[in-house]
């Protein structure tokens, strides 16, 4: 069965902390994504990776960076967490853009 | 600018009746469309997709219709069941960039 696993379901961090969100997929997919979901705004793309060590900015990359050192793992980094980064973060992977994306269970991040 | 729009934030339907969820898009380069279902505190789950070469795709109780000239797609759920109560997102992709574009979601409530 297809699996995308995010390292934490819930996280509480302080303003200014560096935060790491980890995502692992077991489907050998080339493409991996980080989205955030906010009420009334749907899912917005933060970063996308189409290969190891390759990354592209999405619609809202400010305040975030990513790392993809291995094909199965895609990390999202909040360099200095701020309260406006309180959100649900969703990782996904896909074979390609004409194939469905599979999502992890999400990480609810609260920055206080 | 939102390229995929779901103009109905919520919908209530009686159990056993048909649920119709609508989605509009603006970019004529989109050629692959998807519907996802999301429960609170969980990641989205893929439901059904359709390629632009088709105008209908069925999977059990779920049917997606695509009207390319109107840039409109819809998801029909027949018959609706209480377990279908969730937020439904439509998404689109194509030769427009390396991402899936999501709508803002429609919250469906199926009343027993």
């Amino acid at each position: 069965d297809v699996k995308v696993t995010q390292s934490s379901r819930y996280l509480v961090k302080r303003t200014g902390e560096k935060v790491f969100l980890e995502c692992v997929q077991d489907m050998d997919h080339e493409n991996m994504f980080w989205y955030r979901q906010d009420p009334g705004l749907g899912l917005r793309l933060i970063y996308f990776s189409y290969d190891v060590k390759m990354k592209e900015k999405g619609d809202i990359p400010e305040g975030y960076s990513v790392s993809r050192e291995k094909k199965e793992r895609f990390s999202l980094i909040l360099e200095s967490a701020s309260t406006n980064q309180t959100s649900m973060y969703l990782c996904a992977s896909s074979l390609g853009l004409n194939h469905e994306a599979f999502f992890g269970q999400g990480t609810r991040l609260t920055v206080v | 600018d939102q390229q995929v729009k779901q103009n109905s934030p919520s919908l209530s339907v009686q159990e056993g009746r048909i649920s119709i969820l609508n989605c509009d898009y603006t970019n004529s380069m989109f050629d692959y469309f998807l519907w996802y279902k999301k429960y609170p505190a969980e990641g989205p789950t893929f439901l059904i997709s359709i390629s632009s070469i088709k105008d209908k795709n069925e999977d059990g109780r779920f049917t997606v219709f695509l009207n390319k000239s109107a840039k409109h797609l819809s998801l029909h759920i027949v018959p609706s069941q209480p377990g279908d109560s969730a937020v439904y997102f439509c998404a689109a992709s194509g030769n427009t960039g390396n991402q899936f574009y999501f709508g803002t979601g429609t919250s469906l409530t199926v009343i027993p």
Side-chain angles (χ1 to χ4, degrees):
Chain A
D1 208 13
V2 153
K3 201 103 171 135
V4 178
T5 304
Q6 295 181 228
S7 52
S8 305
R9 290 295 297 269
Y10 300 94
L11 273 180
V12 180
K13 296 292 182 181
R14 293 196 180 277
T15 301
E17 276 193 77
K18 192 167 186 175
V19 181
F20 293 86
L21 303 183
E22 307 285 347
C23 176
V24 177
Q25 51 100 358
D26 64 0
M27 297 163 282
D28 203 35
H29 285 168
E30 304 290 337
N31 303 299
M32 296 189 74
F33 310 82
W34 276 105
Y35 287 88
R36 62 178 278 179
Q37 184 203 355
D38 299 289
L41 297 176
L43 277 66
R44 294 180 293 165
L45 183 69
I46 305 171
Y47 266 98
F48 161 71
S49 170
Y50 54 91
D51 201 352
V52 174
K53 297 193 188 292
M54 307 304 288
K55 61 186 179 185
E56 285 194 15
K57 292 180 180 179
D59 297 320
I60 50 165
E62 297 79 18
Y64 303 94
S65 62
V66 290
S67 171
R68 189 146 181 224
E69 296 295 320
K70 294 185 178 181
K71 190 176 186 180
E72 67 271 17
R73 187 178 296 269
F74 192 35
S75 303
L76 180 70
I77 303 149
L78 285 67
E79 298 292 341
S80 176
S82 64
T83 54
N84 63 11
Q85 292 178 309
T86 292
S87 187
M88 168 71 95
Y89 289 87
L90 295 161
C91 174
S93 73
S94 76
L95 262 177
L97 291 176
N98 56 353
H99 296 271
E100 64 268 31
F102 295 90
F103 282 84
Q105 76 277 30
T107 297
R108 170 68 66 184
L109 172 67
T110 302
V111 182
V112 298
Chain B
D1 192 25
Q2 196 80 20
Q3 298 193 53
V4 177
K5 299 177 184 178
Q6 294 176 259
N7 293 318
S8 299
S10 62
L11 175 69
S12 289
V13 171
Q14 288 290 133
E15 182 178 2
R17 299 288 189 110
I18 184 171
S19 295
I20 300 176
L21 296 98
N22 293 303
C23 181
D24 297 294
Y25 61 96
T26 58
N27 195 328
S28 57
M29 296 299 289
F30 289 148
D31 59 10
Y32 186 64
F33 304 89
L34 313 92
W35 283 95
Y36 284 84
K37 174 180 180 179
K38 187 182 183 300
Y39 293 118
E42 292 185 14
T45 303
F46 170 74
L47 268 180
I48 192 168
S49 64
I50 188 167
S51 159
S52 61
I53 61 172
K54 300 174 76 173
D55 54 18
K56 178 182 174 182
N57 190 26
E58 274 183 270
D59 185 1
R61 295 186 299 115
F62 302 92
T63 303
V64 56
F65 294 92
L66 176 62
N67 182 334
K68 289 186 289 293
S69 60
K71 295 192 182 68
H72 177 83
L73 65 155
S74 60
L75 176 69
H76 292 208
I77 306 173
V78 184
S80 301
Q81 299 173 354
D84 296 329
S85 297
V87 176
Y88 289 78
F89 291 97
C90 67
S93 66
N95 295 325
T96 59
N98 292 318
Q99 64 168 293
F100 296 94
Y101 293 86
F102 283 84
T104 52
T106 296
S107 178
L108 173 67
T109 303
V110 180
I111 304 161

